[in-house]
Amino acid sequence: MGISYEDFLDREYEPLASDLRCRFSIEPAADMSWADAAGRVASESSNGTWAELDVEGSVTDLSATAYEIDESAGIVEVAYPEALFEPGSMPQILSCIAGNIMGMKAVDRIRLLDCEWPAAVVDAFPGPQYGSAVKSEILDAGDRPALATVPKPKVGLSSEQHAEVGYEAWVGGVDLLKDDENLTDQSFNPFEDRLTESLAQRDRAESETGERKSYLLNVTAPGGEMLERVDLAAEHGCEFVMVDVVTTGWAAVQQVRQRCERHGLAIHAHRAMHAAFDRVPSHGVSMRVIAQIARLCGVDHIHTGTADLGKLENEDTVGINEWLRSDRHGLSDVLPVASGGLHPGLVPELLDRLGEEIMIQAGGGIHGHPDGTRAGARALRGAVEATQDGRPLEAASAEYPELATAVDKWGTATPR
Ligand SMILES: O=C(O)[C@@](O)(COP(=O)(O)O)[C@H](O)[C@H](O)COP(=O)(O)O
Ligand SMILES: [Mg+2]
């Protein structure tokens, strides 16, 4: 039997419950009809190609089907049979739904907007170990946003200086010290020194504040080295690791998840490089899909933006956060992280837009405080407490004079 592009388009097709359904926005090339473009998307992302092929019957069971075209919205819906996928392999799935089709001449633009993941596919993935439960199981932030800070400048501090900044932030009221996405094991701040020095300061801060504190340690590294760093983190008593999930790739993220299962470590996902995939609205892979992939692969927290209050472009932070909290075939939720240009003056609007079940990360917004890190941390903590109590920030300045100083300096402006 011969198969060609036309065989991958069927508008009568009713997707099976076990199908992975993907929503694409496309711009067919000038010489291409919507039907032809849609057939090509389904074909090239499953098991077809440009030439007519003679195939045995069962081969077509693996073929995807473009089953809906909405020309006015520019949308094509494609259903993929479960059998097309290797159970539990995110790289293989992405090589289908976000592979060669991204470069096809048949379309001028194509973007993977959203996926409906069936239990048949989800069940082969571990999902998060903790999700938002980290706030109460590992930290003492069960009833408020978790607070994190990245020492700034991003890189250049020594391990000792890094840990000292951590101590100041922890005693000021922050829950988590966090490495920056580009701080790994450089000679000026070696990984293991940073780990041991920071945890020593953490223990000191915990005994002084009576609050549990922890560290988002960046273990990002090539292949096996990353797993060794995960083991080191556990060995030294750290409860979290951080991974640059996009730059390391999902195969590595899946390996880290397996290793973290063994140690009971939670995973913080930094999304550096995501904008290379999702920033151009008409092409690429949406942040919504990147967040979905991260949840299946098992991260506990992921950066999803500041609902446009911060310094970085965001796409649908509210919608993505809702998906990360929604019930998806029994997967644990993921704690969304708001970060990038945040400071105490932005907290009321941030919590109004995103709710309290988030992590707030502030680097410049704490270490840029006129009175230093500890004052910056107190200002952020004060802003959160005042907002949760329904008090305007000004009303908290008696209790938190550091907050008044921060608001004097930055107001409620969005940094650019
Ligand atoms: O390096 C930075 O810019 C940050 O450490 C924020 O620092 P500031 O708090 O000093 O701005 C984060 O990496 C970004 O927030 C990542 O972006 P996103 O959260 O959008 O993934
Ligand atoms: Mg950073």
Side-chain angles (χ1 to χ4, degrees):
M1 182 177 86
I3 59 166
S4 58
Y5 283 148
E6 294 70 39
D7 300 307
F8 294 83
L9 171 66
D10 178 0
R11 298 187 209 222
E12 307 309 314
Y13 179 74
E14 286 292 330
L16 305 176
S18 59
D19 285 350
L20 169 59
R21 285 174 284 146
C22 292
R23 168 172 294 186
F24 295 94
S25 66
I26 70 166
E27 289 173 25
D31 61 347
M32 195 62 62
S33 71
W34 276 89
D36 288 345
R40 282 161 175 72
V41 171
S43 165
E44 294 284 357
S45 58
S46 61
N47 66 349
T49 189
W50 61 274
E52 176 150 349
L53 303 170
D54 251 338
V55 297
E56 297 302 312
S58 63
V59 169
T60 54
D61 296 346
L62 304 175
S63 300
T65 306
Y67 63 94
E68 209 169 293
I69 300 176
D70 180 342
E71 293 187 21
S72 58
I75 299 290
V76 170
E77 308 269 359
V78 178
Y80 298 84
E82 173 204 346
L84 174 65
F85 304 119
E86 176 187 344
S89 172
M90 191 53 77
Q92 190 269 339
I93 293 176
L94 292 174
S95 295
C96 297
I97 65 175
N100 296 354
I101 53 174
M102 293 292 160
M104 277 192 323
K105 287 181 180 170
V107 292
D108 290 342
R109 295 283 179 279
I110 179 167
R111 185 180 178 85
L112 176 55
L113 296 171
D114 196 7
C115 298
E116 195 53 55
W117 302 85
V121 172
V122 169
D123 291 350
F125 287 91
Q129 262 187 106
Y130 301 93
S132 60
V134 293
K135 291 196 315 119
S136 51
E137 285 185 23
I138 303 179
L139 304 169
D140 293 324
D143 57 357
R144 61 173 170 78
L147 303 180
T149 191
V150 175
K152 299 286 177 177
K154 298 167 74 102
V155 294
L157 300 181
S158 68
S159 302
E160 194 184 345
Q161 291 168 325
H162 184 96
E164 185 54 41
V165 168
Y167 170 75
E168 290 297 317
W170 279 313
V171 290
V174 159
D175 305 292
L176 291 160
L177 174 65
K178 174 186 170 301
D179 287 343
D180 229 318
E181 69 278 0
N182 56 354
L183 178 62
T184 54
D185 187 27
Q186 290 102 316
S187 56
F188 53 79
N189 192 344
F191 178 82
E192 194 159 0
D193 294 354
R194 185 169 75 250
L195 171 58
T196 51
E197 304 237 8
S198 298
L199 291 183
Q201 293 285 11
R202 183 274 297 270
D203 298 345
R204 191 176 149 216
E206 276 192 339
S207 61
E208 287 176 22
T209 61
E211 255 186 11
R212 288 179 291 171
K213 307 287 184 180
S214 196
Y215 178 25
L216 305 175
L217 172 71
N218 191 357
V219 296
T220 302
E225 174 58 29
M226 186 151 56
L227 300 179
E228 284 170 29
R229 291 180 191 179
V230 171
D231 293 342
L232 270 176
E235 221 174 276
H236 288 276
C238 195
E239 296 89 357
F240 294 86
V241 294
M242 167 177 143
V243 180
D244 298 341
V245 291
V246 176
T247 60
T248 53
W250 301 105
V253 173
Q254 293 193 261
Q255 274 190 303
V256 168
R257 173 64 179 82
Q258 275 167 6
R259 188 59 61 97
C260 286
E261 179 83 30
R262 194 190 297 175
H263 300 303
L265 298 182
I267 303 170
H268 181 94
H270 195 289
R271 59 178 180 167
M273 199 176 166
H274 74 97
F277 290 92
D278 62 29
R279 179 147 190 194
V280 179
S282 60
H283 188 78
V285 177
S286 70
M287 182 59 210
R288 183 180 177 84
V289 171
I290 292 173
Q292 294 173 350
I293 294 166
R295 185 177 181 186
L296 268 71
C297 290
V299 309
D300 297 285
H301 333 138
I302 190 165
H303 293 235
T304 61
T306 61
D308 274 337
L309 285 169
K311 68 181 186 185
L312 298 158
E313 281 295 332
N314 296 155
E315 172 207 340
D316 186 25
T317 302
V318 172
I320 294 171
N321 291 6
E322 275 162 10
W323 192 93
L324 290 174
R325 294 189 189 107
S326 63
D327 177 25
R328 299 289 160 170
H329 309 299
L331 284 177
S332 296
D333 68 354
V334 175
L335 184 66
V337 180
S339 170
L342 295 178
H343 56 82
L346 289 171
V347 167
E349 186 59 27
L350 185 76
L351 298 191
D352 184 52
R353 293 185 190 185
L354 299 181
E356 299 174 2
E357 270 304 288
I358 59 171
M359 180 186 296
I360 301 175
Q361 189 295 126
I366 282 181
H367 311 297
H369 190 284
D371 304 324
T373 295
R374 188 182 302 208
R378 277 190 55 76
L380 184 68
R381 182 74 180 252
V384 167
E385 289 181 6
T387 304
Q388 287 195 290
D389 298 347
R391 291 181 290 150
L393 299 186
E394 303 67 47
S397 41
E399 190 186 348
Y400 289 98
E402 304 88 348
L403 177 53
T405 306
V407 174
D408 281 353
K409 181 173 174 78
W410 293 310
T412 59
T414 287
R416 291 186 56 85

